[in-house]
Amino acid sequence: MDNIQIKERNNGAMEQWEYRTLKFFTKGFFTGGTLDIKEFDNELNAMGSNGWELVSCFDTNQHQGSSKEVICVFKRKK
């Protein structure tokens, strides 16, 4: 479907989005970067309750494959 059809379907208005990025730091340099899952789940659920949709989540490398931080990107309609 091209942009013209999308505009017509939305009564001439293009959808607009806002984005938010959260960064979670891992703990334990020698243990491979442990993420506090309870804190992580609580924050994801709070974002979802406020209308945010998780669109991407990835980790950054610390050393030898361990994770330094986890980055999550959310979006919601304006």
Side-chain angles (χ1 to χ4, degrees), residues 15-29:
E15 290 182 323
Q16 294 186 355
W17 302 92
E18 59 181 327
Y19 296 88
R20 183 160 180 204
T21 302
L22 295 183
K23 187 185 295 187
F24 298 90
F25 292 97
T26 61
K27 297 172 178 68
F29 183 78

Side-chain angles (χ1 to χ4, degrees), residues 30-48:
F30 294 109
T31 60
T34 304
L35 184 64
D36 183 339
I37 295 298
K38 186 173 183 176
E39 174 191 356
F40 186 71
D41 285 346
N42 287 341
E43 191 63 36
L44 293 180
N45 285 322
M47 294 293 290

Side-chain angles (χ1 to χ4, degrees), residues 3-15:
N3 287 340
I4 295 171
Q5 291 173 328
I6 293 171
K7 276 182 148 180
E8 290 173 358
R9 188 176 69 198
N10 294 326
N11 298 322
M14 293 292 290
E15 290 182 323

Side-chain angles (χ1 to χ4, degrees), residues 16-19 50-53 74-78:
Q16 294 186 355
W17 302 92
E18 59 181 327
Y19 296 88
N50 288 310
W52 292 96
E53 177 184 2
F74 297 84
K75 75 174 186 177
R76 72 178 175 185
K77 289 184 182 180
K78 282 189 170 186

